[in-house]
């Protein structure tokens, strides 16, 4: 019985090892195919919402994120300000949603800009207005800042108060 149990466990270990190796190989292949596309899309959005301050984004196979500044220096995410990190993660979410769901799907944002300073908020509102030509965008907030920026920029929008 112990020999049979040992053989069963050895077979399971062998199967799990094969499955692990296959998953790792697929993961490497997916990263090789997917990473350049996502790096490009995230970098493009990040470049727009930072007014060209950052020219690119690099996400490695360990999902470490770095950015490339206008002088082509590679900067790890840990060296960025909190506001810039927020912009980077916003860019990543938009790029992933575009890639997975399509650029025509509605976009729902709930208090996404609460920590943005006024300059960053203006940049993101301009970006959202541009992409709103191809998709609906819903911004949920308890603040008036977004509305004030849209009015300052002379942008068209629909405002709905929920009570």
């Amino acid at each position: 019985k112990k020999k049979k149990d040992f053989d069963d466990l050895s077979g399971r270990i062998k199967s799990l090892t094969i499955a692990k190796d296959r998953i790792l190989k697929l993961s490497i292949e997916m990263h090789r195919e997917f990473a350049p596309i996502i790096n490009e899309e995230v970098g493009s959005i990040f470049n727009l919402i930072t007014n060209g301050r950052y020219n690119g984004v690099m996400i490695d196979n360990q999902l470490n994120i770095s950015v490339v500044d206008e002088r082509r220096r590679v900067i790890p995410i840990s060296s960025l300000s909190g506001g810039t990190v927020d912009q980077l993660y916003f860019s990543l979410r938009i790029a992933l949603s575009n890639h997975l769901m399509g650029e025509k799907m509605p976009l729902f944002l709930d208090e996404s800009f609460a920590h943005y300073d006024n300059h960053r908020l203006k940049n993101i509102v301009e970006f959202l207005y541009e992409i709103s030509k191809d998709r609906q965008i819903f911004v949920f907030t308890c603040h008036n800042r977004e509305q004030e920026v849209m009015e300052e920029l002379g942008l068209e929008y629909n405002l709905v108060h929920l009570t």
Side-chain angles (χ1 to χ4, degrees), residues 60-125:
D60 68 18
N61 59 352
Q62 300 296 314
L63 300 180
N64 297 310
I65 303 174
S66 300
V67 299
V68 179
D69 70 7
E70 67 270 356
R71 291 187 255 163
R72 301 203 183 276
R73 292 180 302 179
V74 176
I75 302 167
I77 194 171
S78 59
S79 297
L80 300 174
S81 71
T84 304
V85 171
D86 284 345
Q87 289 174 302
L88 180 58
Y89 283 134
F90 176 82
S91 302
L92 180 61
R93 288 193 309 270
I94 296 297
L96 288 173
S97 74
N98 287 348
H99 190 74
L100 297 173
M101 304 298 289
E103 294 180 9
K104 303 288 184 193
M105 291 296 292
L107 183 60
F108 293 85
L109 303 167
D110 185 12
E111 290 296 347
S112 296
F113 317 117
H115 301 291
Y116 279 35
D117 60 30
N118 289 338
H119 179 72
R120 285 184 173 96
L121 181 61
K122 184 178 176 184
N123 287 346
I124 207 73
V125 166

